[in-house]
């Protein structure tokens, strides 16, 4: 059907006619359009540059209501609560889908609306639970269906161009049956969170330094002195006390890394890394999985620093555990003459839809990508977050980097980047998404030996998601230490606090395009912590127990005793402020701390059924 629209449009262009397509008509029940979602203005930093061709293809994703998500959430917290009798009794794929399938009347109404606009079932792509439906549609038809006008917008700093609108509408009769449609009002720029760092002397840092409040753990005396300047697999094993643990039942276990935006993990670089740091793993590999046409370019110059970092350390720590790397096609820049279908979605949505459709999913998955929360429309952020909850209910531990901008833009000087995009243009800290989703484990960064907080570690409080009960006590204890009035109106103290945990985030020795390189960021911290969680799963699976699944309730209730509390270091500057300091207990820069594997093994594997 859509191919026919495009052929018709091309023909009309040749003969000089205007665009003409079938429409439901003025008397149709779909003619009563009311605004569903809108922005007061385009976010700061985006400039309108023109109109897209009328036959430019948009891939619209339509989210239908999930019939019983609240009940699914109850199940998730029960099976993740170490004190509940159902702990570890994860749900099957089919059980999860039953909870999130849309009500039948919602499905009927949306189907009728799509049919009225010329779509047949063959034109629709549905999620397994049918709570999402995707269609490829020419811009002009999308504008008619949504009562809107799409424009081309250019990001001033990067030059990226997107096709977006600042408002869209739906027939009044459909508002209760459609939660969200994207891409419409989403101006987010989906970016990896890694950076190569060249450290200045501590005295020249813009961040403030707070000395730790307790003596260093005596075991750190055994850590190789070189780990103060270069982090290797051996360093992480020493720092996080793996005690020479060797996976006992790797064939029962699994770990995965997500890759986006043409970040390719290079097999030759992985071999060089293994030769350097994990000799037993030389010539081993991982399963490559393409999502939405994601590529696997193995040319030397196509190797991605982010992908190499994630794969080398997560898989190096867990060898010989079976590993998966997903390559999800990115969001390509818009080209004015592009009329063929292109991926205009956020890759998170594409990836999670794909993985939820699989019968088997790795038990631990690390993602080192994120963006300011406010750049993702709240309705869409909530639906993606709810999808992560579905994976948690199935026994998957999802870890996300907390971000590399401190409490905002990583700058101690006032910046336009730390302004709200709601029309007020007010200064505001910038929480990170998806790290602020309450159904994932956010990982902040540390540095040096003994470990202290690092100044770029993303942390703060979500403006979209309220604080979950599992972290109430820990976060409230921290908030009592914050001076009255400090950063008033810059953050939401009732929001979900992040990160939850932390790991080293500087000077990781990777191999990149045939040579060794030093790289850092919380994108190093997440795969490092994921490696430790994978080893904990191995210890549980070897005892006939289930994998850990959604980590946070167990970490806040019991696991904190197996973490190294980071009580000092550099504040996480941003938005013209010094940000927050690490302190005893939870804090919005290192969470509850870094892992001690042997202690965590005792708490979460040996003594927890």
């Amino acid at each position: 059907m859509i191919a026919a629209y495009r052929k018709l449009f091309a023909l009309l262009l040749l003969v000089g006619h205007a665009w003409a397509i079938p429409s439901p008509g003025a008397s149709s029940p779909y003619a009563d359009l009311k605004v569903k979602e809108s922005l007061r203005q385009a976010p700061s930093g985006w400039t309108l540059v023109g109109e897209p061709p009328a036959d430019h293809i948009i891939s619209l994703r339509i989210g239908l209501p999930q019939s019983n998500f609240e009940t699914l959430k109850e199940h998730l917290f029960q099976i993740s609560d170490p004190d509940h009798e159902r702990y570890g009794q994860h749900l099957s794929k089919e059980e999860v889908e039953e909870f999130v399938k849309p009500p039948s009347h919602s499905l009927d109404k949306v189907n009728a609306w799509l049919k009225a606009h010329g779509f047949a079932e063959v034109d629709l792509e549905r999620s397994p639970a049918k709570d999402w439906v995707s269609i490829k549609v020419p811009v002009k038809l999308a504008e008619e269906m949504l009562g809107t006008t799409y424009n081309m917008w250019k990001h001033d700093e990067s030059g990226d161009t997107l096709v977006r609108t600042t408002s869209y509408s739906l027939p009044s009769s459909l508002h209760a049956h459609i939660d969200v449609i994207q891409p419409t009002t989403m101006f987010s720029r989906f970016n990896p969170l890694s950076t190569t760092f060249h450290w200045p002397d501590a005295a020249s840092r813009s961040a403030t330094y707070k000395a730790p409040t307790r003596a260093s753990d005596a075991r750190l005396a055994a850590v190789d002195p070189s780990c103060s300047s270069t982090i290797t697999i051996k360093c992480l094993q020493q720092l996080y006390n793996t005690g020479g643990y060797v996976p006992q039942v790797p064939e029962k276990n699994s770990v995965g890394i997500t890759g986006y935006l043409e970040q390719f993990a290079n097999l030759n670089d992985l071999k060089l890394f293994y030769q350097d740091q994990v000799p037993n793993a030389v010539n081993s590999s991982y399963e490559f999985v393409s999502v939405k046409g994601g590529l696997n370019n193995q040319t030397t110059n196509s190797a991605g620093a982010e992908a190499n970092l994630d794969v080398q350390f997560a898989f190096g720590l867990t060898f010989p555990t079976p590993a998966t790397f997903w390559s999800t096609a990115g969001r390509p820049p818009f080209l004015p003459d592009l009329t063929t279908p292109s991926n205009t979605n956020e890759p998170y949505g594409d990836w999670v839809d794909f993985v939820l459709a699989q019968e088997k999913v790795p038990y631990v998955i690390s993602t080192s990508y994120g963006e300011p929360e406010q750049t993702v429309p709240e309705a869409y952020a909530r639906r993606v977050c709810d999808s992560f909850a579905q994976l948690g209910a199935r026994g998957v531990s999802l870890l996300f980097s907390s971000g590399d901008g401190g409490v905002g833009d990583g700058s101690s000087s006032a910046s336009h980047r730390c302004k709200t995009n709601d029309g007020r243009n007010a200064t505001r800290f910038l929480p990170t998404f998806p790290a602020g989703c309450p159904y994932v484990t956010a990982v902040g960064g540390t540095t040096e030996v003994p470990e202290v907080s690092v100044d770029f570690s993303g942390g703060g409080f979500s403006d979209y998601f309220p604080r979950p009960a599992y972290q109430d006590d820990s976060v409230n204890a921290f908030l009592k230490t914050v001076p009255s009035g400090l950063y008033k109106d810059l953050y939401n103290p009732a929001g979900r606090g992040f990160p939850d945990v932390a790991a080293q985030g500087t000077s990781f020795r990777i191999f990149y395009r045939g040579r060794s390189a030093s790289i850092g960021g919380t994108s190093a911290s997440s795969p490092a912590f994921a490696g430790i969680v994978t080893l904990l799963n191995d210890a549980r699976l070897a005892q006939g127990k289930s994998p850990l699944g959604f980590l946070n309730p167990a970490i806040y209730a019991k696991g904190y005793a197996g973490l190294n509390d980071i009580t000092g270091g550099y504040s996480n500057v941003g938005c013209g402020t010094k940000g927050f300091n690490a302190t005893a207990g939870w804090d919005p820069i290192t969470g509850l701390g870094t892992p001690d594997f042997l202690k965590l093994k005792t708490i979460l594997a040996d003594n927890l059924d």
Side-chain angles (χ1 to χ4, degrees):
M1 179 64 69
I2 297 306
Y5 279 137
R6 293 188 62 250
K7 291 177 181 177
L8 172 62
F9 180 75
L11 179 61
L12 291 173
L13 282 180
L14 289 175
V15 298
H17 286 81
W19 173 262
I21 57 173
S23 66
S27 61
S28 165
Y30 306 122
D32 176 25
L33 294 172
K34 290 187 178 180
V35 174
K36 175 69 174 178
E37 189 173 21
S38 65
L39 304 176
R40 293 193 181 189
Q41 61 190 40
S44 176
W46 289 90
T47 301
L48 192 155
V49 294
E51 298 180 2
D55 66 341
H56 171 68
I57 301 296
I58 296 177
S59 299
L60 288 180
R61 298 181 73 239
I62 303 167
L64 282 69
Q66 297 172 324
S67 59
N68 216 353
F69 180 78
E70 288 303 311
T71 303
L72 173 66
K73 190 166 67 172
E74 290 178 16
H75 282 277
L76 172 65
F77 284 118
Q78 287 176 2
I79 63 182
S80 304
D81 179 354
D83 293 320
H84 198 282
E85 62 183 2
R86 293 187 60 210
Y87 179 77
Q89 297 177 22
H90 303 124
L91 304 182
S92 69
K93 173 179 179 289
E94 292 73 24
E95 288 171 329
V96 168
E97 290 170 359
E98 187 65 24
F99 283 118
V100 300
K101 69 179 183 181
S104 58
H105 60 282
S106 292
L107 196 58
D108 291 343
K109 287 182 178 294
V110 172
N111 287 345
W113 174 60
L114 294 173
K115 183 177 180 180
H117 283 284
F119 291 93
E121 183 63 31
V122 69
D123 299 316
L124 312 180
E125 181 181 344
R126 300 187 189 274
S127 64
K130 298 186 178 180
D131 56 331
W132 285 100
V133 58
S134 299
I135 55 173
K136 289 183 170 63
V137 53
V139 161
K140 203 66 178 178
L141 179 54
E143 291 178 334
E144 177 189 313
M145 295 173 67
L146 304 179
T148 190
T149 299
Y150 277 90
N151 286 293
M152 291 165 49
W153 299 85
K154 186 175 184 178
H155 188 251
D156 299 337
E157 184 175 332
S158 68
D160 287 352
T161 307
L162 297 176
V163 177
R164 295 292 188 267
T165 180
T166 56
S167 176
Y168 72 93
S169 299
L170 287 171
S172 299
S173 60
L174 287 179
H175 274 238
H177 305 287
I178 292 178
D179 285 346
V180 63
I181 297 181
Q182 290 293 347
T184 48
T185 58
M186 182 157 46
F187 285 79
S188 54
R189 296 182 61 251
F190 184 72
N191 289 316
L193 296 174
S194 67
T195 309
T196 298
F197 295 99
H198 303 283
W199 292 109
D201 292 336
S204 68
R205 290 177 182 269
S206 58
T208 57
Y209 183 82
K210 175 189 174 188
T213 57
R214 65 177 176 82
S216 300
D217 195 316
R219 69 179 175 79
L220 294 178
V223 175
D224 193 310
S226 67
C227 298
S228 293
S229 58
T230 302
I231 294 296
T232 62
I233 293 291
K234 180 180 179 181
C235 289
L236 294 180
Q237 292 169 336
Q238 293 175 346
L239 279 166
Y240 300 143
N241 198 25
T242 62
Y245 184 86
V246 176
Q248 302 170 67
V249 286
E251 70 281 359
K252 296 182 179 181
N253 202 4
S254 49
V255 61
I257 291 292
T258 63
Y260 302 96
L261 305 182
E262 289 68 59
Q263 276 281 332
F264 304 119
N266 186 272
L267 291 171
N268 185 61
D269 286 339
L270 180 62
K271 183 175 182 178
L272 293 173
F273 176 83
Y274 282 160
Q275 288 173 345
D276 182 60
Q277 299 186 34
V278 194
N280 290 343
V282 173
N283 296 324
S284 68
S285 188
Y286 52 83
E287 180 183 3
F288 171 84
V289 178
S290 172
V291 180
K292 290 287 185 177
L295 303 178
N296 187 23
N297 193 328
Q298 289 296 309
T299 61
T300 299
N301 290 337
S302 296
E306 175 64 65
N308 276 4
L309 164 66
D310 295 351
V311 163
Q312 290 170 19
F313 274 86
F315 300 168
L317 275 170
T318 59
F319 175 80
T321 304
T324 299
F325 177 76
W326 294 275
S327 176
T328 302
R331 169 184 34 76
F334 173 74
L335 301 177
D337 60 350
L338 183 64
T339 58
T340 55
S342 60
N343 182 354
T344 51
N345 290 336
E346 278 299 287
Y348 289 132
D350 287 338
W351 176 81
V352 77
D353 282 355
F354 175 88
V355 172
L356 282 170
Q358 310 308 306
E359 289 291 340
K360 293 186 66 175
V361 181
Y363 291 140
V364 178
I365 301 172
S366 175
T367 299
S368 295
Y369 295 74
E371 51 209 316
E373 185 180 76
Q374 70 168 358
T375 67
V376 183
E378 184 172 353
Y380 184 74
R382 290 187 180 280
R383 283 299 298 259
V384 171
C385 185
D386 290 351
S387 294
F388 296 149
Q390 294 178 50
L391 284 172
R394 289 173 57 178
V396 178
S397 301
L398 295 173
L399 294 94
F400 280 83
S401 301
S402 70
D404 291 348
V407 293
D409 63 348
S411 172
S412 59
S413 302
S415 168
H416 71 278
R417 296 179 183 174
C418 295
K419 301 293 184 181
T420 60
N421 61 5
D422 58 3
R424 296 182 300 123
N425 206 35
T427 300
R428 186 82 170 173
F429 288 167
L430 300 176
T432 307
F433 181 80
C437 168
Y439 310 124
V440 307
T441 301
V443 187
T446 61
T447 188
E448 302 177 9
V449 180
E451 290 181 280
V452 296
S453 56
V454 68
D455 56 0
F456 58 75
S457 183
F461 302 84
S462 172
D463 286 322
Y464 287 174
F465 303 102
R467 183 166 63 245
Y470 63 72
Q471 65 170 191
D472 261 342
D473 291 345
S474 298
V475 174
N476 278 328
F478 169 79
L479 290 172
K480 290 177 181 177
T481 71
V482 179
S484 177
L486 181 67
Y487 306 147
K488 180 176 172 57
D489 298 328
L490 293 183
Y491 71 98
N492 172 26
R496 183 273 206 263
F498 72 98
D500 301 295
V501 293
Q504 280 281 327
T506 62
S507 305
F508 276 56
R509 177 179 169 85
I510 69 167
F511 277 77
Y512 174 58
R513 300 186 177 180
R515 298 186 298 176
S516 64
S518 179
I519 195 169
T522 57
S523 52
S525 310
S526 185
F529 202 98
I532 299 300
V533 176
T534 302
L535 296 181
L536 291 171
N537 275 343
D538 180 85
R540 287 183 58 84
L541 294 167
Q543 298 175 49
K545 300 175 181 178
S546 63
L548 287 166
F550 176 40
L551 296 170
N552 294 4
I555 289 177
Y556 282 88
K558 296 182 182 294
Y560 68 89
L563 298 173
N564 307 305
D565 190 8
I566 308 301
T567 61
Y570 302 93
S571 61
N572 57 349
V573 297
C575 305
T577 75
K578 294 178 180 179
F580 297 107
N581 284 315
T583 189
W586 181 90
D587 54 69
I589 181 168
T590 62
L592 292 169
T594 62
D596 184 316
F597 171 75
L598 291 183
K599 288 182 180 179
L600 288 170
K601 177 177 176 294
T602 299
I603 298 168
L604 299 180
D606 301 339
N607 294 330
L608 181 61
D609 293 329

